Amino acid sequence: MDAKALLEPGKRARSKAANRRAILAAGRRVFARIGYEATTVRDIIRETDLASGTFYNYFKSKEEVFEAIAEDSTHRYRELLSHVRERAVTAEDYMRQAYRAYFAFIAQENEEALTDGAPHLALIGVRVDTPEMLAVAAEIRADLERILSADGSPRIDIEYLTAAAIGIAREMGEIMLMRRPVDVDGATDFASRMVMASVKELAAK
């Protein structure tokens, strides 16, 4: 077998990965520009240099594109959260670092849409029904349980706290992206202080 033949599988794999990335990037732009409901598969295809047949080699619908974007983004945030877990010593450290990681992440994810003034921000990470997001929620729950026990606050309902902390991130993240300028530091400070104030009050009961 010659060298060219040996390289072919690798080149095909790179081409497939590039095509998939192009479709997801196009989906982000279109969803941000005209909104998820109004978007069609044809809109996404027109945003790429790919043929319609190529699109359907990867995705069957716009729903699958959106789900893939959500899974991809949540996977990357999950990696950031693992770094927070390594660094955070106290519950306050964890809350502040986790919120900052999330708010900074969605600001970066939506940077192109924000710059272009797109009316429909491609908010990723707000869905809670994807396997990747469920895994993130489970990890956050385990982190909070571990770190609050170490802080001497084991009586707090961890399940409620996890739901509240994630809900605050989702709702505040949406508001943060609508403001100009986008204030990651302000959102981080407000969310982390509010949650920690509640944790301290509950722990004192």
Side-chain angles (χ1 to χ4, degrees):
M1 185 178 291
D2 61 25
K4 184 178 179 181
L6 287 171
L7 288 172
E8 279 304 311
K11 291 173 80 173
R12 283 197 298 271
R14 286 195 296 275
S15 177
K16 286 182 178 180
N19 288 345
R20 190 176 188 279
R21 284 196 302 271
I23 293 168
L24 295 184
R28 285 181 182 277
R29 291 193 296 272
V30 177
F31 290 143
R33 189 166 62 243
I34 65 178
Y36 175 78
E37 294 300 331
T39 296
T40 66
V41 167
R42 183 174 294 180
D43 293 324
I44 298 173
I45 293 170
R46 276 200 296 255
E47 195 77 14
T48 72
D49 295 325
L50 304 175
S52 59
T54 303
F55 174 93
Y56 287 107
N57 286 336
Y58 298 88
F59 302 101
K60 295 186 178 74
S61 64
K62 71 173 185 180
E63 288 82 7
E64 286 193 0
V65 174
F66 184 80
E67 288 170 6
I69 292 171
E71 284 286 285
D72 175 68
S73 294
T74 308
H75 175 74
R76 284 182 287 116
Y77 174 69
R78 192 176 178 185
E79 291 180 357
L80 295 176
L81 191 63
S82 71
H83 298 314
V84 170
R85 186 176 302 119
E86 292 169 2
R87 294 191 302 264
V89 177
T90 66
E92 192 164 355
D93 287 341
Y94 181 86
M95 285 296 180
R96 184 166 290 276
Q97 290 184 43
Y99 275 125
R100 178 165 184 76
Y102 179 74
F103 292 138
F105 178 74
I106 64 169
Q108 183 178 1
E109 289 288 280
N110 288 279
E111 186 175 11
E112 184 178 350
L114 291 167
T115 301
D116 294 343
H120 305 278
L121 293 170
L123 284 169
I124 304 303
V126 298
R127 294 189 61 187
V128 297
D129 58 342
T130 66
E132 196 73 29
M133 191 59 199
L134 292 173
V136 169
E139 288 177 2
I140 291 173
R141 186 187 189 286
D143 290 341
L144 291 175
E145 189 166 26
R146 172 182 51 78
I147 208 161
L148 287 174
S149 294
D151 276 1
S153 306
R155 290 173 290 178
I156 295 173
D157 190 314
I158 300 297
E159 196 166 7
Y160 278 163
L161 178 60
T162 303
I166 292 173
I168 287 168
R170 290 166 55 206
E171 296 298 325
M172 281 190 59
E174 185 169 354
I175 298 299
M176 180 195 73
L177 290 176
M178 292 177 182
R179 293 185 172 186
R180 299 294 181 275
V182 174
D183 185 7
V184 170
D185 290 337
T188 298
D189 187 60
F190 188 96
S192 58
R193 287 174 63 188
M194 180 172 63
V195 171
M196 285 312 302
S198 299
V199 166
K200 289 171 184 175
E201 182 182 348
L202 290 167
K205 289 184 177 180

